[in-house]
Amino acid sequence: MAEKNKYIRQSWVILAVFIIAGLNPVFGKKKVGTTIFQFLKVMPDAHGTGMGDAVTSTINNANAAFYNPAGLTGVDKLDLSFSSYKYFFDVKTTSISLAYKMGLYGTLGFHFINTDIGKIEVTSVDQLGFNDDGTFNPGLTGETINPIQMVIGLSYARSLTEKFSFGINLKYAREDMIKADADGLVFDFGLVYKTGYRSIQTSAVIRNFGPEISFSDDEVTTNNSEFESYPPPQTLAIGVSGFLIAPENSLFFLSRNQSLRAAFDIIGPRDYDQQYNTGLEWGYQDLLFIRTGYKFNYDTQGISFGMGVRINSFRGDYSYASYGKYLSNIHRISAGMEF
């Protein structure tokens, strides 16, 4: 018992340090455009996005690496997940995540995200004008470029007690815009605490914690000039969740065949005001799931919907997210397998 209490005290001390580090003066202010690697904010998983990304205290498969690495302790042995979606302007993103539980030694994880921005035609003012056949050339040179964004991450998670778990990510992020590129290391650190009261769980996670990063370019460096550096999009998320309906440990109603989980996350981004994610997930016999979520105080994001199926060790998920009047809606598909 004394050993368990020591682990819990140490975990709360670590959490307090990360929260203090996260709650720096830039939090709580609108400072849009003051962080680098904005793609780190976009989650690829259809399960989580279907619930409005309010899953830092609930997700317990390989995709926990994207939200809260402490959730990887929920993997039984080996878990593999794949996601794909088309973002704005034909930008395509695919991801893969893998988690392996090593018994008492904790859980190891790996994840990879690749964003293909697509081919972009190069233009130049030198080519601007009329062609010999009388047609107008808007500056096309005949060349194309293909910028990319990618993330490679390693995870480790462990349960300190039956109620308390922690996890950490080490992520290498890279953005290649052809004329300039940037890369760097960022960290995630998360905790999950099962309160022991009915089904209530809480969580806290710092995402994208790291030093300032700047773009670099050989031509610019030759001219003894450098790009300005910016911090990564560090985010503090604190979550709580519980079953309103469940076969056991429900907050309100018991049902043998149905479940209804509610989740709420408070988000503190470095470059924006405080935000709020809410989510609901209805389940039938742990086979069929219907999800919805809503995000408050976002420029464009709002309501989301999703559904999922779980057949033996296989799971499949779909989500729809609305981005307002002027941006296209985003559809995500994920598939996973437990071994």
Side-chain angles (χ1 to χ4, degrees), residues 82-158:
F82 173 82
S83 299
S84 177
Y85 65 96
K86 182 180 288 189
Y87 210 47
F88 308 127
F89 311 114
D90 294 326
V91 174
K92 297 178 181 178
T93 297
T94 55
S95 72
I96 186 171
S97 55
L98 176 70
Y100 173 69
K101 192 163 191 175
M102 305 179 296
L104 298 176
Y105 298 101
T107 304
L108 288 179
F110 167 82
H111 64 275
F112 173 73
I113 305 175
N114 182 71
T115 299
D116 183 359
I117 298 177
K119 292 183 179 180
I120 300 175
E121 294 182 311
V122 177
T123 60
S124 172
V125 293
D126 296 336
Q127 300 297 323
L128 187 65
F130 288 93
N131 298 319
D132 295 337
D133 58 2
T135 59
F136 181 73
N137 182 359
L140 298 175
T141 65
E143 300 178 74
T144 59
I145 58 174
N146 189 15
I148 60 169
Q149 300 164 337
M150 60 169 286
V151 181
I152 300 176
L154 296 176
S155 309
Y156 176 75
R158 185 176 179 181

Side-chain angles (χ1 to χ4, degrees), residues 61 109 113 154 184 194 220 227 259 273 285-286 328 330:
N61 55 43
I113 305 175
L154 296 176
K194 300 177 181 178
V220 172
F227 290 97
S259 64
D273 288 339
Q285 292 188 342
D286 203 31
S328 59
I330 304 301

Side-chain angles (χ1 to χ4, degrees), residues 158-177:
R158 185 176 179 181
S159 296
L160 301 179
T161 71
E162 292 181 354
K163 295 182 178 181
F164 220 103
S165 303
F166 81 93
I168 188 168
N169 283 337
L170 170 61
K171 301 187 295 189
Y172 170 76
R174 176 175 174 80
E175 186 168 21
D176 186 354
M177 305 305 292

Side-chain angles (χ1 to χ4, degrees), residues 18-318:
F18 272 80
I19 289 178
I20 292 172
L23 294 176
N24 55 54
V26 299
F27 277 124
K29 299 180 181 179
K30 279 190 178 182
K31 291 199 171 184
V32 178
T34 59
T35 60
I36 200 170
F37 292 166
Q38 287 292 300
F39 59 91
L40 291 175
K41 291 183 176 182
V42 184
M43 299 300 179
D45 173 40
H47 178 175
T49 53
M51 290 182 64
D53 288 333
V55 294
T56 59
S57 64
T58 67
I59 195 162
N60 59 0
N61 55 43
N63 285 324
F66 303 124
Y67 292 95
N68 183 355
L72 294 172
T73 57
V75 173
D76 288 333
K77 186 62 177 178
L78 180 64
D79 193 275
L80 175 66
S81 185
F82 173 82
S83 299
S84 177
Y85 65 96
K86 182 180 288 189
Y87 210 47
F88 308 127
F89 311 114
D90 294 326
V91 174
K92 297 178 181 178
T93 297
T94 55
S95 72
I96 186 171
S97 55
L98 176 70
Y100 173 69
K101 192 163 191 175
M102 305 179 296
L104 298 176
Y105 298 101
T107 304
L108 288 179
F110 167 82
H111 64 275
F112 173 73
I113 305 175
N114 182 71
T115 299
D116 183 359
I117 298 177
K119 292 183 179 180
I120 300 175
E121 294 182 311
V122 177
T123 60
S124 172
V125 293
D126 296 336
Q127 300 297 323
L128 187 65
F130 288 93
N131 298 319
D132 295 337
D133 58 2
T135 59
F136 181 73
N137 182 359
L140 298 175
T141 65
E143 300 178 74
T144 59
I145 58 174
N146 189 15
I148 60 169
Q149 300 164 337
M150 60 169 286
V151 181
I152 300 176
L154 296 176
S155 309
Y156 176 75
R158 185 176 179 181
S159 296
L160 301 179
T161 71
E162 292 181 354
K163 295 182 178 181
F164 220 103
S165 303
F166 81 93
I168 188 168
N169 283 337
L170 170 61
K171 301 187 295 189
Y172 170 76
R174 176 175 174 80
E175 186 168 21
D176 186 354
M177 305 305 292
I178 308 303
K179 287 294 184 180
D181 59 82
D183 60 1
L185 294 176
V186 294
F187 297 85
D188 303 337
F189 181 85
L191 298 172
V192 171
Y193 178 61
K194 300 177 181 178
T195 65
Y197 178 74
R198 304 292 176 88
S199 56
I200 294 181
Q201 297 185 173
T202 61
S203 63
V205 57
I206 290 283
R207 291 194 289 257
N208 307 319
F209 180 86
E212 292 190 354
I213 301 169
S214 66
F215 279 90
S216 62
D217 178 73
D218 291 340
E219 181 179 348
V220 172
T221 303
T222 301
N223 294 331
N224 296 320
S225 178
E226 294 182 357
F227 290 97
E228 187 174 351
S229 61
Y230 293 95
Q234 181 181 311
T235 301
L236 169 66
I238 298 175
V240 61
S241 63
F243 283 100
L244 309 181
I245 303 172
E248 59 183 10
N249 296 325
S250 169
L251 292 172
F252 295 108
F253 306 103
L254 295 176
S255 174
R256 180 180 301 178
N257 296 319
Q258 299 184 63
S259 64
L260 179 63
R261 172 181 261 172
F264 176 70
D265 281 8
I266 300 175
I267 309 297
R270 178 188 287 270
D271 55 0
Y272 207 81
D273 288 339
Q274 189 165 277
Q275 299 167 323
Y276 308 92
N277 299 347
T278 60
L280 287 173
E281 180 183 59
W282 173 82
Y284 179 74
Q285 292 188 342
D286 203 31
L287 174 67
L288 174 66
F289 300 89
I290 304 295
R291 307 177 181 110
T292 187
Y294 195 87
K295 293 185 171 184
F296 294 90
N297 198 31
Y298 286 74
D299 283 337
T300 56
Q301 299 181 66
I303 196 166
S304 61
F305 299 98
M307 63 178 299
V309 294
R310 185 177 298 166
I311 303 174
N312 297 326
S313 59
F314 171 81
R315 64 180 181 272
D317 298 291
Y318 162 81

Side-chain angles (χ1 to χ4, degrees), residues 9-19 166 189 191:
R9 288 195 301 269
Q10 291 175 346
S11 299
W12 280 114
V13 169
I14 294 172
L15 173 62
V17 170
F18 272 80
I19 289 178
F166 81 93
F189 181 85
L191 298 172

